Amino acid sequence: AQRVTQPEKLLSVFKGAPVELKCNYSYSGSPELFWYVQYSRQRLQLLLRHISRESIKGFTADLNKGETSFHLKKPFAQEEDSAMYYCALSPPKTGFQKLVFGTGTRLLVSP
Amino acid sequence: NAGVMQNPRHLVRRRGQEARLRCSPMKGHSHVYWYRQLPEEGLKFMVYLQKENIIDESGMPKERFSAEFPKEGPSILRIQQVVRGDSAAYFCASSPGGTENTEAFFGQGTRLTVV
């Protein structure tokens, strides 16, 4: 079964603190992994995709196939990072066509 | 480009009524995806459409739900005889093509409440 688990509903940190948003997945094979972000009153938007190996807004995520994890990290959180973050996977070679999302983690960065 | 437009943003229906949710894709996009987010859950894929074709409807409930994407006009997700369990946020996304590297962009969603 395809499943994405985000164990934390809410993560609260102070500005400047490191952030790690956890994501574990269940999939028999090699899925593609994504992180999406939804800022207050805005649309869901792609933050990063594991095959791109990019760092977006200071965020990085490493795919660990052994632990089936794709945790999102940022060394120094900013107030503007406060948002809902969703981890998602898709079957190989389907890209964005059929995403499976986790339940999301709300990140709150306090001054 | 205004982005993916969904309307209405909020829809209230009584049990047994029909709900029609509209999605206008971004300009130049011919692929549309519908997702449903039930309370306390992640978004779940429902259906993938191209103009005048249903490509993948594996996530659609077998009864009461249908989707179309006509040659002209928006994509429509139709729910007949709504029940309380249909209350959810429905999101639409669109992409210019169906290849694995064409990013899908999301609309702001329609929140359906069944009373």
Side-chain angles (χ1 to χ4, degrees):
Chain A
Q2 303 173 27
R3 186 181 298 131
V4 175
T5 303
Q6 294 180 252
E8 302 141 327
K9 280 183 119 171
L10 172 67
L11 184 61
S12 187
V13 302
F14 287 106
K15 178 182 170 182
V19 167
E20 182 178 67
L21 296 159
K22 290 186 168 46
C23 171
N24 288 90
Y25 66 91
S26 172
Y27 187 86
S28 54
S30 297
E32 189 168 353
L33 275 297
F34 307 80
W35 275 99
Y36 277 80
V37 60
Q38 187 172 28
Y39 300 102
S40 180
R41 297 195 186 89
Q42 293 188 29
R43 302 153 197 259
L44 197 62
Q45 56 186 281
L46 179 67
L47 182 62
L48 54 81
R49 184 178 181 184
H50 92 268
I51 62 170
S52 301
R53 298 186 179 277
E54 291 176 306
S55 172
I56 307 292
K57 299 185 180 184
F59 285 97
T60 58
D62 290 317
L63 179 60
N64 185 323
K65 292 185 179 180
E67 295 182 359
T68 59
S69 69
F70 188 55
H71 303 327
L72 184 69
K73 299 177 185 179
K74 185 169 183 177
F76 307 103
Q78 302 300 314
E79 288 180 69
E80 55 266 29
D81 296 328
S82 296
M84 278 293 294
Y85 290 81
Y86 294 93
C87 183
L89 69 75
S90 68
K93 300 195 184 301
T94 62
F96 298 88
Q97 292 175 18
K98 198 169 176 178
L99 297 163
V100 177
F101 284 85
T103 50
T105 298
R106 182 171 297 282
L107 175 64
L108 183 60
V109 182
S110 305
Chain B
N1 200 329
V4 179
M5 301 301 292
Q6 290 187 248
N7 68 81
R9 292 290 309 280
H10 300 275
L11 182 61
V12 179
R13 283 287 176 265
R14 293 187 186 282
R15 280 178 293 171
Q17 290 185 317
E18 178 180 286
R20 280 182 168 244
L21 288 63
R22 292 175 195 77
C23 170
S24 295
M26 288 176 71
K27 191 175 180 181
H29 287 195
S30 58
H31 296 246
V32 163
Y33 315 84
W34 284 94
Y35 287 81
R36 176 168 68 172
Q37 185 178 29
L38 294 168
E40 305 296 317
E41 294 189 15
L43 280 75
K44 287 194 167 44
F45 169 81
M46 298 180 77
V47 63
Y48 165 26
L49 309 110
Q50 266 183 281
K51 288 275 187 184
E52 300 183 281
N53 281 313
I54 296 175
I55 306 301
D56 183 341
E57 57 180 346
S58 57
M60 285 280 268
K62 298 252 184 295
E63 295 176 350
R64 301 187 297 107
F65 284 72
S66 62
E68 62 176 9
F69 188 16
K71 190 175 177 183
E72 302 290 337
S75 175
I76 307 283
L77 180 68
R78 184 179 174 211
I79 312 171
Q80 294 179 290
Q81 298 175 311
V82 295
V83 300
R84 286 239 170 92
D86 297 332
S87 295
Y90 292 82
F91 290 92
C92 168
S94 74
S95 69
T99 67
E100 60 189 284
N101 289 318
T102 49
E103 183 180 343
F105 294 85
F106 282 82
Q108 291 188 295
T110 293
R111 189 164 298 279
L112 172 65
T113 303
V114 180
V115 297

